[in-house]
Amino acid sequence: MDTPATLLAGPAEFAAVLAATRWVALTLLAAEAVGVSARCTELAVDYAGIRHQFGRPIGTYQAISHRCADMFVGTEAARALVAVAAQALDAAVALAAAEALEAAVGAAQGSLQVHGGIGFTWEHPVHHYLRRAKSSEALIAAPDRLREQAASRLVAAARR
C-alpha cells in the first residue's frame, strides 16, 4: 500500500518542534486549570448564597466570603497570566501554568470546604474538579518544577 506522506520536521528540527509543542500543550493545560478554578469558584459562591445556617446564608459569614474572594482573586490572576503567556509561548507559559494549577487546586479545595456542609463530597462535581487539578499538578506539571524550569530558561537566556 502506498500512502503519501510529507516530512514535517527532520532530525535537525526535532528538538525545536518538540519544545514548541510542549509550550503549546502547557498553555492548554494552564487554560484548562483556569477553567477549573473559575468553575469551582462559581460553584462555591452559588452554594454559599443558597445554603443557610443559623437563619442566614453561609456566604454572609466572613470566613466563607473571604475564602470565596481569595478563590476569585487567584482565578483572575491566573487568567491574566495565562492570557499573556499564551501569546509569548516561552518561559512565561511555565510561570502562568504554575499559577493556574495552584489556583485550580486552591479553588477546588476551597469550594470543597464551602460545600462541606452537605455531608458528602466524593461524587460532587467539585471533587471531580479537585481530582483533575491534582492529577494535572502531580503528573504533568508540578508548580515548583515549572517555576524551576522557567528560572533555568530565563537564566540561560540572560547569559547569551
Side-chain angles (χ1 to χ4, degrees):
M1 186 179 307
D2 230 3
T3 305
T6 303
L7 182 64
L8 298 177
E13 301 89 17
F14 175 75
V17 170
L18 187 62
T21 303
R22 181 181 181 278
W23 291 119
V24 170
L26 197 53
T27 302
L28 295 173
L29 174 71
E32 178 192 46
V34 168
V36 165
S37 183
R39 182 65 179 142
C40 287
T41 301
E42 180 183 313
L43 288 170
V45 169
D46 290 348
Y47 184 74
I50 62 168
R51 170 84 162 108
H52 284 72
Q53 190 65 39
F54 306 113
R56 61 186 222 200
I58 63 171
T60 62
Y61 293 102
Q62 192 174 26
I64 300 295
S65 62
H66 283 194
R67 179 170 296 278
C68 290
D70 288 345
M71 292 187 303
F72 178 77
V73 169
T75 299
E76 292 308 307
R79 185 187 315 271
L81 286 170
V82 171
V84 169
Q87 297 172 10
L89 288 181
D90 59 11
V93 172
L95 296 173
E99 188 70 25
L101 286 166
E102 283 184 345
V105 169
Q109 288 173 333
S111 186
L112 204 58
Q113 286 188 330
V114 169
H115 283 84
I118 62 177
F120 66 94
T121 55
W122 188 256
E123 291 302 321
H124 193 277
V126 173
H127 201 273
H128 294 285
Y129 287 124
L130 177 61
R131 288 190 299 234
R132 176 65 184 170
K134 289 299 281 184
S135 66
S136 293
E137 183 184 58
L139 298 174
I140 299 168
D144 290 346
R145 189 173 64 214
L146 288 169
R147 287 186 180 100
E148 182 180 313
Q149 290 171 2
S152 297
R153 192 171 171 98
L154 292 170
V155 166
R159 289 182 180 163
R160 286 185 219 149

